[in-house]
Amino acid sequence: MSEKLNAKIPEGPLMEKWTRHKAAIRVVNPANKLKLDIIVVGTGLGGASAAASLGELGYNVKVFCISDSPRRAHSVAAQGGINAVKNYPNDNDSIYRLFHDTIKGGDYRSREANVYRLAEVSNLIIDQCVAQGVPFARDYGGLLDNRSFGGAQVSRTFYARGQTGQQLLLGAYASLNRAISKGQVKSYPRHEMLDLILIDGHANGIITRNLVTGEIERHSAHAVVIATGGYGNVFFLSTNAMNSNGSAVWQCYKKGAFFGNPGFEQIHPSCIPISGDQQSKLTLMSESLRNDGRVWVPKKKEDIEKLRNKQIKASQIPEEGRDYYLERRYPAFGNLVPRDVASRAAKERCDAGYGVNETGLAVFLDFSTAIQHLGKHVIEERYGNLFQMYEKIVDVNPYNEPMMIYPAIHYTMGGLWVDYNLQTTIPGLYAIGEANFSDHGGNRLGASALMQGLADGYFILPYTIGDYLAGKIQEKKTDTNHPAFEKAEKKINEKIAKLFAIKGIEPADYYHRLLGKIMWNYVGMSRNEAGLKKAIEDIRVLRDEFWKNVCVPGENNEFNQELEKALRVADFLEISELMAMDALNRKESCGGHFREEMQTEDGETKRDDQNFSYVSCWEHKDNDTHEMHKEPLNYEFVKLATRNYKD
Amino acid sequence: MDFTLKIWRQANAKAKGKFEIYKISNISPDTSFLEMMDILNDKLVCEGRDPVAFDHDCREGICGMCSLYINGHAHGPDSDITTCQLHMRKFKNGETITVEPWRSRGFPVIKTWWLTAALSTRFCKPEGSFL
């Protein structure tokens, strides 16, 4: 094990670790905070909450985002809700139960201490957000309402219709604006981080490109926080926003930060199916819909034929002709099995020829039972905006006919490796939210991404970063004329000049689409050794092609969206290879990582705890090679078991 | 489906803009408006011409970044949606579609320095409205 891989898990019983740790770490007094600068990159729930909290504490914060406003970050699109263990429904929920559900949902590949802390602070998030005025749904008596999400048998998900992420982000954004108006945070919209600056091995700044003017800028700080989300857009078609990218994370990796579990991706079971090859993104239909929606395909092949030829509508197929396959296969959890399980089950039915649309890649999500029981108005209240969204995109009214859904790339559990303090292997460099690897193992449970982003930003990082910064109070601000800045800026200018100089024949999107196809076919829902090896070869060929033939029009010193894309695609063409290498190395199936060679008789994931109970931590080496180290996962409190959602 | 696109192009905030005409064909009715613009842009890049710049991000109607003024309506002819949720099935085959930036002081066309002789549309806004 690399000596850099010290997870710094505090000693003691699970439920006391965070309390003890908080008491043991150093704090910075108010006068000294004023002398310390922090850079936060990204303004989703993680970045916005962190920047707001650090600003309120009195640090000098610079916050960067690629959009015109921090509130565009893709957390805004999260729909279903956020988990917490208030136990308001009195259904026997507890910190331990959320902790255990998360560990189990992640197929026993996440770190116990981190996950327990996440469950522990979950209730604080709800209190904080209610105080901000986030309009969580309430029941008739005025109490906060809950609904259910996959992988849990209790109702612990707080929500604001199908727009929970938007409302939480507006809350965090309001807090951030307060800190900006106080002068504690300076906001840099339309700025993209292109490199990390290391001085004596410590993170001391970043290089950005002003997306409006093209200017390359230098920013120094005593610590840098990466909150730029995941790299799911490697697949081109995903539920991510078009501008979401992996470049900041990748530049940190190339500067020496280890990458944890790059091959762990989440494929969300309920997305609007692909309609054709002109498509640019896939739209999510929230997991919360599975509270009231039932997933099915017809039992008879002749009904499938008729559906595909549009001779019948789904609503005309009688109850006895429907196979509610999740309820059939997983009686205990039914339609609310975790995402990886639901995705594979949909794929299994479609591969067997039961896909319900022309492409054969869709299943039904049906609300007729719920509408019958509860009335249309209740369904409208719960999911109105999602139903409208579906109708606008597909041109079918889901109150009358079931939705058609199919799995799509949604989230990356992998990310920068961090210790218990959320610090990467580079001192002074922190990673929070989806950008780190730490809490979700092989599969993230629904409504837990919002929880993690806000837990990290509001309640964990503001404490743990103090322990590092307490040692920096004597340190002067880094001069941006330092040779490290000079060198990094020169390298970026050369890279940009090289892209313009190619003057090739294909736009960046062309390569991005091709990369997406390679990834979906070989590094997607189902993986095997031969396919992964082929993916690595194909990616290398495509990368060479890109650097020979991409066409980037225009100039650097202007608003140039093609240049932005080309820089991001260049990084995706490297990240993808590491993802495939990691998936190839892990010869077991766990969570969303399904190796065909490792499955049970009924097609479920088969883990190999003997050989793979570790976090794969990749280190970038010279000549763009990658070396893997292992962080063993020592389960002190949970007994490893085969995931069972059947009984 | 085939369309004629009449697009406002302006090099920067101060430059004088004008409409340019583009033809586009083989567009599926299920393609979204912005996907149609992607296809146009890819074509322009391949032909060595300057693509049309437009803001967009989530492409599912929630982030509020897209902001086109289409056929005289903010976000185009459909109701209760943003531009990114508009689909080509809402237009007639062969129709001429006029695309402009929002002409509003609150949403200025972005200022850029456009060094080549070519014209380019540059419309973006700083802080947008809530949905």
Side-chain angles (χ1 to χ4, degrees):
Chain A
M1 192 170 94
S2 165
E3 62 189 28
K4 290 180 188 164
L5 284 179
N6 179 356
K8 300 188 182 141
I9 309 287
E11 294 293 320
L14 190 59
M15 29 287 267
E16 284 175 32
K17 283 183 191 292
W18 181 228
T19 308
R20 288 191 190 194
H21 188 66
K22 279 190 291 182
I25 56 179
R26 291 175 292 177
V27 292
V28 181
N29 84 4
N32 283 329
K33 285 197 181 92
L34 299 176
K35 298 183 211 158
L36 295 165
D37 302 338
I38 303 173
I39 283 171
V40 178
V41 188
T43 57
L45 288 178
S49 61
S53 304
L54 295 167
E56 287 292 342
L57 281 170
Y59 294 110
N60 304 306
V61 180
K62 284 182 173 182
V63 66
F64 296 83
C65 71
I66 53 175
S67 318
D68 61 338
S69 159
R71 68 164 290 275
R72 309 271 183 232
H74 201 50
S75 302
V76 79
Q79 298 170 353
I82 177 165
N83 288 327
V85 293
K86 291 284 191 186
N87 194 34
Y88 288 155
N90 194 26
D91 52 3
N92 193 12
D93 200 8
S94 62
I95 292 172
Y96 189 85
R97 192 177 293 279
L98 172 55
F99 155 73
H100 194 269
D101 285 349
T102 306
I103 292 274
K104 178 185 170 191
D107 218 349
Y108 303 91
R109 289 294 173 264
S110 42
R111 218 189 257 152
E112 274 185 329
N114 287 55
V115 176
Y116 192 86
R117 175 177 63 185
L118 177 64
E120 202 178 340
V121 304
S122 66
N123 284 344
L124 301 177
I125 299 170
I126 304 304
D127 297 342
Q128 170 105 353
C129 295
V130 168
Q132 287 169 341
V134 170
F136 285 124
R138 287 173 184 270
D139 65 16
Y140 181 73
L143 295 174
L144 295 177
D145 200 14
N146 286 132
R147 60 186 172 201
S148 303
F149 258 68
Q153 287 170 309
V154 295
S155 289
R156 62 161 75 97
T157 306
F158 294 78
Y159 66 100
R161 243 209 217 170
Q163 293 149 315
T164 318
Q166 185 195 40
Q167 294 306 318
L168 293 172
L169 187 62
L170 291 176
Y173 173 61
S175 298
L176 179 60
N177 273 345
R178 187 181 126 85
I180 292 171
S181 68
K182 284 169 75 181
Q184 283 310 122
V185 177
K186 190 162 167 28
S187 170
Y188 292 82
R190 290 198 193 271
H191 278 67
E192 182 152 16
M193 169 176 161
L194 295 182
D195 207 354
L196 174 75
I197 302 298
L198 296 188
I199 294 171
D200 300 330
H202 289 63
N204 266 125
I206 61 170
I207 302 267
T208 60
R209 181 170 177 272
N210 179 325
L211 299 180
V212 178
T213 65
E215 200 179 333
I216 304 296
E217 298 171 0
R218 304 170 182 191
H219 299 275
S220 70
H222 295 90
V224 176
V225 180
I226 301 295
T228 52
Y231 46 93
N233 258 347
V234 118
F235 288 83
F236 187 74
L237 287 178
S238 83
T239 66
N240 285 200
M242 298 302 285
N243 295 310
S244 302
N245 67 79
S247 288
V249 162
W250 192 246
Q251 295 314 320
C252 293
Y253 171 70
K254 289 177 93 168
K255 278 287 166 80
F258 286 12
F259 206 127
N261 296 332
F264 281 173
E265 282 75 53
Q266 173 157 84
I267 292 165
H268 197 295
S270 52
C271 301
I272 298 177
I274 295 179
S275 67
D277 52 11
Q278 299 184 335
Q279 204 157 357
S280 63
K281 90 151 251 161
L282 297 171
T283 303
L284 175 72
M285 285 289 112
S286 169
E287 176 164 313
S288 61
L289 293 166
R290 286 193 274 143
N291 274 268
D292 291 304
R294 300 175 70 194
V295 179
W296 64 278
V297 293
K299 280 181 185 161
K300 288 185 242 153
K301 285 269 170 82
E302 58 251 43
D303 283 342
I304 297 285
E305 279 309 307
K306 286 183 197 159
L307 279 170
R308 290 184 186 174
N309 298 330
K310 302 202 189 309
Q311 287 164 311
I312 54 166
K313 288 182 170 178
S315 54
Q316 291 169 296
I317 298 173
E319 198 59 22
E320 60 274 15
R322 301 175 177 196
D323 175 16
Y324 295 96
Y325 60 84
L326 289 177
E327 295 169 34
R328 167 171 60 79
R329 287 180 63 181
Y330 308 100
F333 282 69
N335 292 293
L336 282 171
V337 289
R339 292 174 176 175
D340 59 322
V341 177
S343 291
R344 272 192 297 278
K347 183 175 188 294
E348 188 276 330
R349 282 294 78 193
C350 290
D351 288 351
Y354 290 90
V356 297
N357 66 353
E358 292 93 338
T359 62
L361 297 174
V363 300
F364 289 127
L365 177 61
D366 195 325
F367 299 89
S368 55
T369 312
I371 290 173
Q372 224 166 6
H373 286 172
L374 304 165
K376 189 183 160 192
H377 66 284
V378 176
I379 297 303
E380 208 169 341
E381 242 166 56
R382 287 181 186 167
Y383 318 109
N385 71 306
L386 301 173
F387 277 53
Q388 189 239 21
M389 205 191 238
Y390 183 86
E391 189 176 359
K392 291 293 178 190
I393 293 172
V394 184
D395 211 20
V396 171
N397 180 343
Y399 292 104
N400 303 333
E401 287 296 319
M403 289 182 177
M404 283 197 273
I405 54 163
Y406 197 69
I409 290 289
H410 182 56
Y411 184 90
T412 50
M413 280 77 69
L416 291 174
W417 183 90
V418 289
D419 63 17
Y420 190 71
N421 293 319
L422 306 180
Q423 186 168 229
T424 68
T425 50
I426 296 175
L429 180 68
Y430 291 77
I432 61 174
E434 190 181 349
N436 77 27
F437 89 101
S438 73
D439 293 349
H440 307 295
N443 172 60
R444 178 176 64 74
L445 289 184
S448 285
L450 306 187
M451 174 172 67
Q452 190 215 338
L454 292 179
D456 288 358
Y458 282 136
F459 300 111
I460 300 170
L461 180 81
Y463 296 165
T464 58
I465 203 169
D467 191 43
Y468 173 79
L469 290 171
K472 299 277 160 191
I473 53 176
Q474 308 275 19
E475 198 174 280
K476 291 220 175 63
K477 289 178 198 297
T478 305
D479 183 358
T480 51
N481 290 319
H482 189 283
F485 279 98
E486 296 279 349
K487 200 176 147 195
E489 187 179 321
K490 187 166 169 268
K491 215 171 135 195
I492 284 164
N493 282 325
E494 282 167 4
K495 188 176 177 183
I496 290 172
K498 193 173 163 193
L499 281 169
F500 279 119
I502 298 167
K503 296 191 190 306
I505 49 169
E506 300 288 358
D509 267 354
Y510 170 82
Y511 298 96
H512 198 177
R513 273 181 197 274
L514 287 176
L515 176 64
K517 280 193 180 139
I518 297 171
M519 295 304 282
W520 182 250
N521 289 339
Y522 302 117
V523 199
M525 237 188 304
S526 194
R527 303 155 169 193
N528 63 54
E529 187 174 333
L532 289 164
K533 284 181 175 161
K534 177 154 175 34
I536 293 169
E537 276 175 38
D538 289 357
I539 291 164
R540 287 176 182 163
V541 171
L542 188 64
R543 191 163 62 221
D544 287 347
E545 266 309 298
F546 171 89
W547 281 103
K548 273 185 218 148
N549 265 323
V550 73
C551 177
V552 184
E555 312 278 342
N556 177 38
N557 56 358
E558 60 166 349
F559 186 65
N560 189 334
Q561 293 172 314
E562 287 298 318
L563 174 63
E564 290 170 32
K565 274 196 267 186
L567 285 164
R568 294 169 193 164
V569 173
D571 288 335
F572 282 141
L573 284 163
E574 296 180 4
I575 299 171
S576 51
E577 185 179 339
L578 187 67
M579 291 162 70
M581 285 171 70
D582 187 47
L584 180 63
N585 166 71
R586 194 171 281 276
K587 295 186 191 71
E588 66 161 352
S589 293
C590 63
H593 169 67
F594 188 73
R595 281 288 296 262
E596 288 160 14
E597 303 93 326
M598 286 291 285
Q599 54 181 307
T600 63
E601 272 173 24
D602 43 2
E604 305 290 346
T605 51
K606 199 166 154 193
R607 288 200 323 267
D608 176 358
D609 292 333
Q610 196 74 34
N611 295 305
F612 291 97
S613 189
Y614 63 78
V615 179
S616 48
C617 312
W618 293 84
E619 181 183 13
H620 184 257
K621 297 297 236 186
D622 295 341
N623 304 321
D624 284 327
T625 55
H626 313 275
E627 186 187 338
M628 198 198 68
H629 309 274
K630 298 174 185 175
E631 181 205 339
L633 290 166
N634 302 316
Y635 281 89
E636 287 179 73
F637 303 95
V638 170
K639 198 173 153 281
L640 293 189
T642 300
R643 280 196 311 178
N644 175 6
Y645 293 102
K646 293 178 195 294
D647 43 46
Chain B
M1 301 173 87
D2 303 339
F3 301 99
T4 301
L5 301 168
K6 192 177 155 194
I7 302 178
W8 182 261
R9 312 220 58 178
Q10 187 178 330
N12 59 53
K14 288 183 180 157
K16 199 177 163 197
K18 66 166 187 174
F19 280 107
E20 293 265 311
I21 307 287
Y22 304 90
K23 297 272 182 195
I24 191 156
S25 48
N26 294 323
I27 298 294
S28 157
D30 291 329
T31 292
S32 77
F33 191 86
L34 294 185
E35 284 162 0
M36 183 274 297
M37 294 293 288
D38 291 342
I39 295 163
L40 172 71
N41 273 348
D42 280 356
K43 193 169 147 247
L44 292 177
V45 172
C46 288
E47 291 168 358
R49 297 158 74 190
D50 298 308
V52 182
F54 57 90
D55 259 342
H56 64 96
D57 199 18
C58 78
R59 294 214 175 179
E60 53 184 84
I62 195 92
C63 78
M65 191 122 178
C66 58
S67 52
L68 298 182
Y69 197 70
I70 302 160
N71 283 351
H73 296 275
H75 299 301
D78 203 355
S79 59
D80 303 330
I81 54 161
T82 52
T83 302
C84 64
Q85 290 171 293
L86 178 64
H87 281 68
M88 298 315 290
R89 66 175 85 93
K90 296 288 171 186
F91 298 91
K92 287 189 209 84
N93 190 23
E95 193 174 336
T96 296
I97 305 171
T98 307
V99 188
E100 298 168 81
W102 286 13
R103 306 218 183 257
S104 156
R105 191 172 296 155
F107 305 102
V109 171
I110 240 177
K111 190 180 173 182
T112 58
W113 291 274
W114 188 245
L115 298 180
T116 69
L119 285 164
S120 170
T121 310
R122 298 280 180 240
F123 37 85
C124 301
K125 55 191 165 51
E127 288 282 344
S129 55
F130 297 141
L131 272 176

